[in-house]
Every structure is written in C-alpha cells, then in structure tokens.
Amino acid sequence: MAVELRSHGVEVREDGVSGAVDAGPVSRPQRALLRPHRGGLWWWMRWPLQEGVSPASAGVPLSPVARTSDAARRIAGALSASPGRP
C-alpha cells in the first residue's frame, strides 16, 4: 500500500507493528488498514475520530486486498479533496 500511495505523490508513514499505513499530512492522516469485509480481507480507510462521530463510522471499505492500487487511488483522491489542501 505504501508504494502505491507514494506513486500517487502521497506522503506515507508505515506502522510496522500493525501493518497500517498513515497517508497524508501528520496533522490530518488517513489510515489505510486491512479488515474483514464481505467474507474477505479488504483495504479500509480510517480517519481520526471526531467529536460526535461513532468509532464504527470512522472508516469505509475501499477495495479487496488484491486491488491495492484501487484503494490507493481512492485514498489519494480523498486526500486531494480534503479541505485545507492546496
């Protein structure tokens, strides 16, 4: 995932313990991680918890694990659409 995100010009920090990848600026990271979904392993995008938002709502499934490039493209798109990004 880190390689795919970097190919889209996204700043990436890897968590070698859990396998998660933080994408984007340190102040507003988007976390990509693997979670079960629909009977398989999927890439999910999670973001920092916000006041009034349930932890269960703090993420969305992106793509099956075999389609890492699709997940990276969606994360890069979400980051470019984030408020405060040039």
Side-chain angles (χ1 to χ4, degrees):
M1 175 61 76
V3 170
E4 288 285 344
L5 286 166
R6 286 184 183 114
S7 76
H8 287 278
V10 175
E11 177 184 346
V12 177
R13 292 160 308 286
E14 298 176 76
D15 179 342
V17 176
S18 68
V21 174
D22 287 334
V26 173
S27 62
R28 295 185 51 142
Q30 302 287 316
R31 177 161 276 199
L33 56 109
L34 292 169
R35 290 183 53 189
H37 181 65
R38 296 184 180 176
L41 196 55
W42 278 55
W43 283 107
W44 279 67
M45 181 172 66
R46 294 186 56 90
W47 47 85
L49 294 179
Q50 298 173 356
E51 187 177 321
V53 177
S54 147
S57 299
V60 294
L62 299 172
S63 71
V65 68
R67 294 178 25 207
T68 301
S69 61
D70 290 347
R73 182 181 38 77
R74 290 185 66 190
I75 291 169
L79 287 169
S80 67
S82 293
R85 180 160 171 123

